Amino acid sequence: MRLLRLFLCFAVLLCPLFVFAQPAATVPSQIPGHDAVLLGTAWYPEQWPESRWDEDLRLMEAANIKVVRITEFAWSRMEPSEGHYDFEWLDRAIALAAKHHIVSVLGTPTATPPAWLTLKHPEILRVEQDGQRVTHGNRAHASAASVIYRDYCRKIAEQMAARYGKNPNVVGWQIDNEYGYALMSYDDETRGQFRQWLKAKYGTLDNLNARWTTAYWSQTYDDWNEIPIPVGGHNPGLMLEWKHFVTTTWTDYQRNQIDVLRARVEPRQFITGNFMGFFDGFDHYTITEPLTFAAWDDYVGSGHLDAVSNGLSHDLTRGFKRENFWVMETQPGMVNWSKLNNFLNKGEVRVMAWQAVAHGADEVGYWQWRSALNGQEEYHGTLVGADGTPVPLYEEVSQIGREFSAAQEALRGTSPVSDVALLYSYDSHWAIQSQKHTEKYDDIGLLKSYYGALRKLSQSVDVISAKAPLRSYKLVVAPSLNVLPKDVADHLLEYVHDGGHLVLGPRSGMKDEFNGLLPQRQPGYLKDALGGRVEQFYALEKNVPVSGTWGTGEASVWAEQLGSLASDTKVLLSYGKSNGWLDDQAAVVTRSYGKGRITYVAAVLDEKLMAAAAEWMLQDSGVRPVFGAVPEGVEVSRRRSAGKDIFVLINTSQEARSVTLPHKMKLLLGGKDGSIVALGPYGVEVLLDARP
Ligand code: GLA
């Protein structure tokens, strides 16, 4: 007994050690038992005779493709007529893929309701803004709000889940496809739901009328049924709430299917959706919340890879759930839907694949394997041609596959970790978009200019919601935080108070959560902490000179006059001669607050000033580059986990570059170990730094 007690005591004492000895937290987008980073493709077995499948899968296997996404448009094949399901072909397709060491992700086919369904229930077809109902024959043609349609979606998802929820070769699910581009139906059913939703949110019309200031232009509502669906040019409160309602509708549409999947599939099977970078139809922080991880479809369209833009979109997607993600679709050289569907240069597809991984993707999937012989996308890029044999790009993709395999073990459990966060807010974006004041104001463009400057120097930036936890960041930058309600302002203040550095860009802290003006000057609830305020904002006709601590340069598009400064608020930049109002006024101010600092940048700065601003922000916040100096045109990224750092070096230029390593590291893609890494045009190298 005494011995037992002694043992138990020991066990309790040692318990924390056992807890610490656990392996590092797993990354949800890496599949246990499979390669940590996967190469994939969209495959449509339903479009081909079964006799062809083996050859397709053989070619995929030879290219090191490890995952296929299937079935997301195959409803009419899986349920050829109502209630009659045919899954045997799919059983065989999944099994044959597995024979080739390829696992499957199943898409629920709800972006393409079959003809028997739209014929039986034409009322599920979307009504466009002009009152016209869409016809069958395209995709995303059903109303996301339709109760009848959701019932059919639930039934097909339920059948698929029951059949494949325990299939060892099915690793996960994609709900729908790109969520119908957030299109809504302007029909009575949707309108009714919108009004119910408003009622549930506001409780009384008095409340709604007050929040939207409907006394303006005689908009006062006496009956919920009087409230229209906005189609543009409406009350800002109504417009923003419509966006929130669209978000709720698509989130519920998604939940309808998640619920039946979760109830039937094994927990190891993930559930995701394929999003579209900065597409702004709904709030992605909300819709991705119930998913295992986020995924996105990364297309260049016309032209070539813009590494800063594309890196930003990857980081945005990673920030949706603050987790690694998948690139569910990317272009095999070219698309078919852009103004000029040029092919990416030789080597550029590989650069894109590695950039995705460098920014936290754990799968890169090509859309698509082979073009259907007929159908809307005959000209799109593929990995095999109409004859079923490899196109020239196939070899480059095979190389990516070999490289993913070589580096996958090192990448296991790793994610990008940053000291710098950029804040993005859909409400602010929508608020600015609907009242731009100058058509030149581009809040995403401004985000990109901050991102480009900060990313270049720090080499790692997160893009997250303004409501996300901030404690781990040394520097938090909000380029256009137009909508800044009290709770979010308090959250930011707490961050600054505890020692963080918050930088606000123009148009910040102007509006409340109802898209109404705050009854304070900008930056609203942060005005006192800043020790200053915006006296007046100006849409600029021409550039304005600015100078100060960060050097001299110009402000364009937008400038705010800062004033009412506290004695300890420091002016970093001032405007030169301009419209008279701005002359000699403060353009950037900063102030210590609590243990931290708050800085307000009141204008859109030119590239040189932005670079100097970024340098100042990073230095003031104690942020160091994650790797060290790299030559122009080379992007460096870091993924880390306990005990190891992985660096990905990408030469986005078409000239050779060489990178000096800060210390010895192991080269994973075949380069020679040494203190210098030689990168050819579009060259890539992956480095393992296994120092503790
Ligand atoms: C989207 C869709 C795919 C396909 C590609 C073409 O991302 O999800 O089905 O149409 O575009 O680029």
Side-chain angles (χ1 to χ4, degrees):
M1 193 62 194
R2 239 184 104 195
L3 263 182
L4 181 70
R5 225 178 270 150
L6 211 69
F7 171 75
L8 282 176
C9 267
F10 246 111
V12 168
L13 280 174
L14 286 177
C15 202
L17 292 183
F18 287 128
V19 171
F20 285 123
Q22 294 292 320
T26 51
V27 174
S29 47
Q30 296 186 341
I31 313 216
H34 293 272
D35 283 5
V37 175
L38 300 165
L39 184 68
T41 190
W43 183 46
Y44 299 95
E46 71 275 19
Q47 295 169 6
W48 302 98
E50 209 167 319
S51 55
R52 168 69 207 185
W53 295 353
D54 194 55
E55 176 60 4
D56 278 330
L57 292 162
R58 185 190 69 75
L59 285 167
M60 287 182 208
E61 186 179 12
N64 259 347
I65 286 175
K66 301 280 168 79
V67 55
V68 281
R69 187 202 56 190
I70 53 179
T71 65
E72 86 277 13
F73 301 124
W75 197 336
S76 62
R77 185 73 179 82
M78 293 187 285
E79 191 181 0
S81 59
E82 184 166 2
H84 296 110
Y85 298 98
D86 178 3
F87 286 119
E88 281 167 19
W89 66 276
L90 185 53
D91 299 346
R92 293 194 294 276
I94 294 169
L96 197 59
K99 261 198 189 154
H100 289 276
H101 307 103
I102 294 171
V103 291
S104 296
V105 173
L106 300 187
T108 65
T110 50
T112 47
W116 58 257
L117 172 49
T118 55
L119 187 71
K120 183 175 176 193
H121 289 291
E123 70 277 23
I124 69 160
L125 290 167
R126 267 188 311 105
V127 173
E128 310 246 56
Q129 283 190 14
D130 62 4
Q132 291 287 318
R133 209 176 270 286
V134 298
T135 51
H136 187 94
N138 207 312
R139 58 180 171 180
H141 43 290
S143 164
S146 163
V147 172
I148 293 176
Y149 187 54
R150 287 201 190 167
D151 197 39
Y152 279 96
C153 293
R154 188 182 48 72
K155 281 193 254 180
I156 185 71
E158 208 163 37
Q159 290 291 326
M160 291 177 77
R163 188 137 185 140
Y164 300 109
K166 295 184 176 51
N167 186 313
N169 302 313
V170 172
V171 292
W173 299 80
Q174 173 190 298
I175 310 265
D176 203 78
N177 190 69
E178 296 180 340
Y179 293 102
Y181 326 116
L183 290 169
M184 297 290 285
S185 183
Y186 293 78
D187 60 9
D188 287 343
E189 185 175 21
T190 307
R191 205 170 284 115
Q193 287 182 19
F194 181 43
R195 290 166 181 161
Q196 281 304 320
W197 181 86
L198 288 170
K199 199 170 175 181
K201 177 159 181 181
Y202 287 85
T204 65
L205 279 168
D206 282 350
N207 186 27
L208 179 144
N209 283 319
R211 301 297 193 178
W212 295 2
T213 322
T214 53
Y216 179 81
W217 283 0
S218 194
Q219 291 167 23
T220 312
Y221 298 111
D222 290 320
D223 188 317
W224 295 97
N225 290 328
E226 292 168 357
I227 304 174
I229 293 180
V231 289
H234 274 95
N235 177 296
L238 171 64
M239 303 254 286
L240 186 60
E241 289 301 19
W242 173 250
K243 288 290 190 187
H244 293 157
F245 173 71
V246 173
T247 301
T248 304
T249 302
W250 283 99
T251 305
D252 286 352
Y253 173 90
Q254 175 188 254
R255 190 181 309 279
N256 176 49
Q257 297 184 42
I258 291 180
D259 285 351
V260 291
L261 291 180
R262 288 249 193 263
R264 284 163 189 79
V265 310
E266 290 176 349
R268 68 174 173 85
Q269 292 185 346
F270 66 76
I271 302 179
T272 190
N274 55 336
F275 299 94
M276 294 180 282
F278 277 93
F279 168 74
D280 63 358
F282 39 59
D283 186 325
H284 289 59
Y285 297 110
T286 304
I287 197 168
T288 56
E289 204 267 325
L291 299 172
T292 316
F293 56 82
W296 80 292
D297 297 344
D298 181 9
Y299 291 99
V300 169
S302 293
H304 293 272
L305 172 71
D306 172 340
V308 175
S309 270
N310 206 55
L312 173 59
S313 294
H314 284 310
D315 292 346
L316 174 84
T317 307
R318 192 177 73 247
F320 290 156
K321 291 185 68 69
R322 303 193 311 283
E323 296 276 12
N324 286 7
F325 58 95
W326 277 28
V327 171
M328 193 61 90
E329 298 178 12
T330 190
Q331 77 188 54
M334 64 176 171
V335 298
N336 68 319
W337 43 257
S338 210
K339 278 195 183 137
L340 166 65
N341 298 305
N342 62 286
F343 212 92
L344 296 177
N345 290 335
K346 199 168 184 192
E348 211 175 351
V349 165
R350 174 171 170 252
V351 159
M352 280 188 72
W354 274 110
Q355 190 193 31
V357 173
H359 285 253
D362 288 322
E363 189 259 9
V364 176
Y366 289 92
W367 196 95
Q368 59 173 325
W369 174 248
R370 182 179 180 182
S371 285
L373 293 180
N374 211 323
Q376 278 91 326
E377 296 172 293
E378 293 171 11
Y379 274 72
H380 201 282
T382 56
L383 298 181
V384 294
D387 64 347
T389 66
V391 297
L393 181 69
Y394 173 91
E395 179 40 41
E396 187 170 319
V397 171
S398 307
Q399 183 188 352
I400 298 166
R402 288 193 295 277
E403 292 175 345
F404 277 11
S405 295
Q408 65 86 19
E409 201 45 59
L411 287 160
R412 190 174 297 283
T414 64
S415 308
V417 179
S418 313
D419 287 333
V420 182
L422 276 174
L423 302 188
Y424 184 63
S425 140
Y426 286 90
D427 281 5
S428 296
H429 170 70
W430 291 324
I432 290 173
Q433 285 300 310
S434 62
Q435 292 182 315
K436 285 183 99 164
H437 206 59
T438 160
E439 62 179 16
K440 287 195 189 141
Y441 196 96
D442 170 10
D443 61 309
I444 309 280
L446 186 62
L447 183 79
K448 184 181 160 189
S449 82
Y450 274 89
Y451 175 84
L454 290 165
R455 177 69 169 66
K456 189 171 175 188
L457 297 175
S458 67
Q459 300 170 339
S460 189
V461 172
D462 286 352
V463 181
I464 54 171
S465 154
K467 296 176 187 165
L470 302 175
R471 195 174 281 273
S472 65
Y473 297 105
K474 292 181 175 163
L475 174 65
V476 168
V477 182
S480 303
L481 199 53
N482 194 237
V483 172
L484 186 51
K486 177 102 177 41
D487 57 337
V488 182
D490 286 345
H491 174 56
L492 298 181
L493 272 183
E494 189 187 329
Y495 165 73
V496 178
H497 195 266
D498 292 350
H501 185 173
L502 172 70
V503 178
L504 297 166
R507 302 181 80 149
S508 290
M510 187 185 197
K511 294 195 159 188
D512 66 15
E513 65 270 45
F514 304 101
N515 211 358
L517 293 173
L518 287 169
Q520 299 99 330
R521 299 284 186 81
Q522 292 167 250
Y525 298 107
L526 300 181
K527 176 173 65 69
D528 294 342
L530 178 68
R533 67 178 197 181
V534 172
E535 302 293 354
Q536 182 62 63
F537 54 84
Y538 304 92
L540 298 178
E541 296 167 84
K542 46 185 192 217
N543 293 359
V544 174
V546 274
S547 61
T549 316
W550 299 343
T552 51
E554 289 188 335
S556 62
V557 181
W558 193 273
E560 293 163 345
Q561 174 189 349
L562 295 170
S564 308
L565 304 184
S567 57
D568 56 345
T569 302
K570 264 183 36 198
V571 178
L572 296 178
L573 278 190
S574 303
Y575 300 106
K577 198 158 176 40
S578 167
N579 60 0
W581 303 109
L582 283 169
D583 300 9
D584 302 323
Q585 300 298 304
V588 178
V589 300
T590 189
R591 182 171 184 244
S592 295
Y593 176 79
K595 290 189 212 145
R597 166 171 300 285
I598 175 163
T599 300
Y600 194 98
V601 182
V604 176
L605 302 178
D606 66 33
E607 214 181 306
K608 208 172 118 235
L609 276 176
M610 185 54 87
E615 199 178 333
W616 177 88
M617 290 174 211
L618 294 167
Q619 206 164 29
D620 181 87
S621 319
V623 179
R624 308 218 7 95
V626 298
F627 178 85
V630 290
E632 200 58 41
V634 173
E635 187 197 83
V636 58
S637 308
R638 178 188 66 188
R639 290 177 52 147
R640 70 181 348 184
S641 73
K644 68 178 169 191
D645 282 347
I646 307 293
F647 294 101
V648 181
L649 298 173
I650 297 173
N651 181 6
T652 61
S653 80
Q654 294 185 69
E655 286 119 47
R657 297 277 189 266
S658 56
V659 178
T660 307
L661 300 184
H663 51 261
K664 209 169 165 329
M665 298 181 197
K666 192 170 160 39
L667 277 61
L668 300 180
L669 299 194
K672 284 205 177 64
D673 286 347
S675 56
I676 291 181
V677 174
L679 297 171
Y682 291 133
V684 179
E685 190 52 84
V686 181
L687 307 162
L688 167 64
D689 186 6
R691 297 182 320 156

